[in-house]
Amino acid sequence: MDNKANVNTTEGTNATGIKTKLTFDDQVVKKIAGIAVSEIPGILGLSGNAITNLTEKFTNGNNPTKGISAEVGTKQVAIDLDVIGEYGKNIAQVFDTATKKVAEEVKNMTGLDVIEFNMNVDDIMTKDQYAEKFENKKKEDSESEKTNENSTRTLE
């Protein structure tokens, strides 16, 4: 989906007579959606794969588009999300909030109308479970990177 064939195009001539064209790659819409849902209480994170490839929390700056797909047309967009929900929250209300927030952000930033929004909840966790699972993984990854940096050899 991250190809130039799927871009939004706005063409025209502005007030000064300059021919103009504005396009948006699928990746841009996916990033907007990812950042928008990161601010919604009740969504702990995005899932990269239906069962096995859970991602780190998307607000950590790694890949805010993992677990999101977008089909971008010339005036409209369809978005699919795979998320990890927060235990104890009303997921139906969280979904309504996510739908509204993503549609508003995409419209405000690109002018595109979200005509389809699908959210699949892959898992439910408490905040503590989520933090334990993903924060510990980040710490382990960080420590292994440091170990690898310290074990570099200088060849003569």
Side-chain angles (χ1 to χ4, degrees), residues 33-54:
I35 293 170
V37 298
S38 73
E39 301 169 352
I40 297 173
I43 297 176
L44 296 175
L46 293 169
S47 305
N49 184 316
I51 297 173
T52 58
N53 190 19
L54 298 177

Side-chain angles (χ1 to χ4, degrees), residues 82-136:
D82 292 322
V83 302
I84 300 169
E86 182 179 349
Y87 179 80
K89 298 289 183 175
N90 182 327
I91 300 299
Q93 287 178 350
V94 171
F95 173 71
D96 290 341
T97 302
T99 302
K100 183 178 178 187
K101 175 84 172 167
V102 170
E104 286 175 357
E105 293 296 324
V106 169
K107 181 70 172 178
N108 288 339
M109 295 182 74
T110 67
L112 295 168
D113 292 316
V114 176
I115 60 161
E116 186 176 330
F117 183 81
N118 302 304
M119 186 172 89
N120 178 50
V121 181
D122 284 339
D123 201 354
I124 295 286
M125 296 180 182
T126 65
K127 284 185 178 182
D128 291 341
Q129 289 171 327
Y130 184 82
E132 183 180 321
K133 184 169 187 170
F134 294 101
E135 296 302 319
N136 286 343

Side-chain angles (χ1 to χ4, degrees), residues 3-9 21-26 72-74:
N3 58 35
K4 293 295 178 186
N6 292 327
V7 293
N8 173 49
T9 305
K21 181 178 182 179
L22 175 64
T23 60
F24 297 97
D25 193 79
D26 288 0
V72 181
T74 57

